[in-house]
């Protein structure tokens, strides 16, 4: 049966069938690199990673593209604020180009630490100015633009279905038009190209047919997705906040230029909340992955926490739940480590697990199937191999984990050896006495299916 994915365009689950036979196009809106990513941002990339892994589990060859927004994303949605990059530059005293580089490197490091699969293509807005100018030129030729004193704008009144993705109430917006819209003709109109302010030079600016300036934020995604995936591709993702403005505007641009709504499926990751409010780069609750690491949390414990909630529900962050995730992950890793190798996949459990994934990435239910498998009477070697299969989706890198090596002193190893002999000779009282002696010295012996394991008592 085909995967069922929730498409926000239709607002329903739909069977997924790819546009092309041999590849699936997946475009994910990437970071604005004026600051570090917070763990809320990273939740969205984790959802997209799960989606990609699910597509690959279904045998699709995924052309995964992520953009880097390094120009044009303004502080306010109203097209009149400062460019976030220039603001970041003032904050740090470095140039906009330097901070773009710095936070791109930091972002890619977070991606690696969370074991998020690298996209096949990373693309930067500033590397695609020509493509964006060409895109705007076509929109202009088709009659969708107008000029104000500060830029070239998209006239949303030219499209009857503008804002359909967000089920936008245009009448309501028109009625509220008294809000300051400056020279814009409609409240929903947005900048395609902004002019550099009169008499000053921006750090990032380019010549264009309309004057020196820089692209609006939304045009980069239309131009780069068209370049790398064609103007009509399979799945477009981002966080839920993008539905109303950024994605609605990307669709308007493509509709005008190519007559498509970009993507067949529109999927959105729901927010990580903190104290019931959204985590944002401007709020005080700015938690980076590094903040968690500094608190001795393994980045994969954060991954595990995110996997435990469905991507279409908001997740409330707390340190307690994160620490519980760390404990749960450690337990899973130890279980995996202690299972013997050489088994085969248990097909019943594998099928049940995949059926949950194929039902709109239902990770919480898939994980419940995993725990059930571990408690079942499936033989131990098969359990390990089935876990390997599950980990293709979970991305916890179970295979490479090893318990922390503590030096076991020679006299303890001697006691362990004596206990082994006592057990072979079935002298149980002596075996128990030796176990107690080992424990009194701060160590523990466990008899696992893979043999005897000695570790320090934690
Ligand atoms: P930005 O770097 O601000 O452009 O955002 C990068 C991605 O993170 C976008 O897809 C946003 O929709 C998403 N995002 C922003 N805040 C959150 C949050 N609190 N939880 C989940 N995703 C978020
Ligand atoms: Zn985008």
């Amino acid at each position: 049966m085909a995967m069922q994915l929730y498409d926000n365009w239709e607002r329903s689950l739909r069977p997924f069938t790819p546009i092309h036979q041999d590849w699936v196009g997946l475009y994910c809106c990437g970071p604005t690199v004026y600051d570090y990513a917070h763990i809320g941002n990273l939740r969205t990339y984790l959802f997209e990673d799960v989606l990609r892994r699910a597509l690959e589990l279904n045998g699709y060859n995924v052309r995964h593209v992520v953009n880097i927004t390094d120009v044009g994303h303004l502080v306010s949605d109203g097209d009149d604020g400062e460019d976030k990059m220039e603001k970041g530059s003032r904050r740090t005293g470095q140039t906009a180009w330097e901070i773009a580089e710095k936070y791109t490197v930091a972002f890619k490091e977070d991606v690696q630490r969370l074991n998020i699969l690298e996209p096949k293509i990373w693309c930067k807005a500033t590397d695609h100015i020509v493509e964006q100018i060409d895109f705007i030129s076509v929109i202009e030729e088709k009659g969708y633009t107008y000029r104000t004193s500060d830029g070239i704008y998209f006239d949303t009144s030219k499209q009857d279905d503008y804002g359909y993705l967000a089920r936008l109430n245009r009448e309501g917006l028109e009625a509220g038009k008294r809000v300051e819209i400056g020279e814009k003709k409609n409240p929903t109109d947005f900048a395609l190209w902004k002019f550099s302010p009169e008499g000053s030079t921006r750090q990032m600016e380019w010549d264009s047919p309309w004057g020196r300036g820089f692209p609006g934020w939304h045009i980069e995604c239309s131009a780069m997705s068209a370049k790398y995936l064609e103007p009509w591709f399979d799945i477009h993702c981002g966080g839920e906040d993008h539905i109303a403005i950024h994605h609605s505007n990307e669709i308007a641009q493509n509709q005008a230029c190519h007559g498509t709504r970009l993507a067949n499926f529109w999927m959105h990751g729901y927010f990580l909340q903190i104290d019931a409010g959204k985590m944002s780069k401007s709020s005080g609750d700015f938690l980076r992955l590094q903040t968690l690491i500094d608190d001795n949390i393994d980045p994969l414990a954060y991954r595990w926490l995110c996997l435990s909630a469905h991507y279409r529900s908001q997740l409330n962050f707390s340190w307690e739940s994160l620490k519980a995730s760390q404990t749960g992950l450690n337990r899973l890793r130890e279980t995996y480590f202690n299972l013997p190798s050489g088994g085969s996949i248990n097909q019943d459990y594998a099928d049940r697990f995949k059926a949950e994934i194929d039902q709109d990435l239902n990770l919480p239910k898939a994980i419940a199937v995993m725990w059930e498998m571990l408690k079942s009477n499936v033989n131990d070697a098969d359990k390990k191999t089935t876990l390997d299969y599950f980990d293709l989706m979970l991305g916890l890198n179970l295979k490479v984990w090893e318990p922390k090596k503590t030096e076991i002193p020679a006299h303890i190893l001697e006691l362990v050896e004596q206990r082994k002999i006592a057990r072979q000779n079935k002298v149980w009282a002596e075996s128990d006495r030796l176990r107690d002696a080992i424990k009194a010295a701060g160590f523990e012996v466990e008899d696992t299916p893979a043999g005897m394991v000695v570790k320090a008592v934690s």
Side-chain angles (χ1 to χ4, degrees), residues 16-36:
F16 176 74
T17 35
I19 295 171
H20 297 276
Q21 271 215 320
D22 50 350
W23 60 278
V24 167
L26 172 65
Y27 185 93
C28 304
C29 291
T32 308
V33 284
Y34 70 108
D35 203 340
Y36 292 108

Side-chain angles (χ1 to χ4, degrees), residues 158-413:
K158 297 261 162 89
Q159 280 175 342
D160 288 341
D161 59 350
Y162 172 81
Y164 178 77
L165 179 72
R167 305 297 189 267
L168 195 74
N169 171 3
R170 294 176 90 181
E171 282 81 44
L173 276 174
E174 284 302 312
K177 206 171 171 176
R178 271 168 291 279
V179 289
E180 195 45 61
I181 61 169
E183 294 173 60
K184 287 204 289 192
K185 294 185 182 169
N186 309 285
T188 45
D189 293 355
F190 56 90
L192 293 164
W193 186 264
K194 294 270 289 182
F195 304 136
S196 296
E198 198 90 31
S200 66
T201 313
R202 281 171 44 94
Q203 295 183 38
M204 293 173 155
E205 56 175 21
W206 296 265
D207 285 327
S208 82
W210 313 282
R212 205 160 170 74
F214 61 102
W217 170 36
H218 317 295
I219 196 72
E220 67 178 84
C221 291
S222 287
M224 294 193 287
S225 61
K227 172 167 177 168
Y228 294 109
L229 299 176
E230 301 178 2
W232 173 242
F233 60 90
D234 296 285
I235 309 176
H236 195 310
C237 295
E240 59 172 315
D241 57 329
H242 284 350
I243 299 171
I245 297 174
H246 182 51
H247 288 170
S248 292
N249 293 349
E250 284 185 34
I251 291 171
Q253 294 166 156
N254 269 53
Q255 219 38 285
C257 183
H258 295 293
T260 73
R261 57 177 163 86
L262 270 97
N264 191 11
F265 281 76
W266 284 88
M267 297 178 67
H268 297 94
Y270 284 69
F271 265 18
L272 182 80
Q273 305 269 107
I274 187 152
D275 298 329
K278 84 167 194 182
M279 180 173 293
S280 72
K281 288 186 186 171
S282 48
S283 77
D285 298 314
F286 187 112
L287 295 179
R288 288 171 52 196
L289 194 60
Q290 187 61 47
T291 323
L292 311 193
I293 295 169
D294 292 344
D295 216 345
N296 275 328
I297 301 286
D298 184 326
L300 292 181
Y302 179 61
R303 181 180 175 102
W304 188 225
L305 175 70
C306 290
L307 296 183
S308 71
H310 194 271
Y311 77 92
R312 274 198 299 118
S313 54
Q314 292 179 333
L315 171 64
N316 204 37
F317 175 82
S318 73
W319 286 97
E320 292 73 51
S321 57
L322 182 62
K323 286 187 176 146
S325 264
Q326 178 75 73
T327 309
L329 177 61
N330 289 348
R331 209 175 72 207
L332 180 62
R333 284 166 160 170
E334 285 192 15
T335 305
Y336 178 88
F337 187 80
N338 291 328
L339 289 168
S341 306
S344 47
I345 294 179
N346 179 290
Q347 208 51 50
D348 283 349
Y349 278 105
D351 289 348
R352 282 182 54 201
F353 180 90
K354 181 167 173 296
E356 298 297 354
I357 299 293
D358 286 353
Q359 194 59 27
D360 198 30
L361 317 177
N362 200 331
L363 256 298
K365 283 199 177 164
I367 289 169
V369 171
M370 179 195 82
W371 290 123
E372 192 188 317
M373 189 275 293
L374 286 174
K375 282 191 209 124
S376 74
N377 58 9
V378 167
N379 83 58
D380 284 337
D382 287 359
K383 278 184 181 167
K384 186 165 196 138
T385 309
T386 311
L387 271 180
D388 283 333
Y389 172 75
F390 294 167
D391 205 25
L392 295 174
M393 267 309 304
L394 303 174
L396 297 171
N397 259 342
L398 292 175
K399 255 198 176 105
V400 303
W401 183 84
E402 283 186 3
K404 273 206 194 82
K405 290 215 169 46
T406 29
E407 277 299 311
I408 312 288
H411 69 279
I412 300 291
L413 289 176

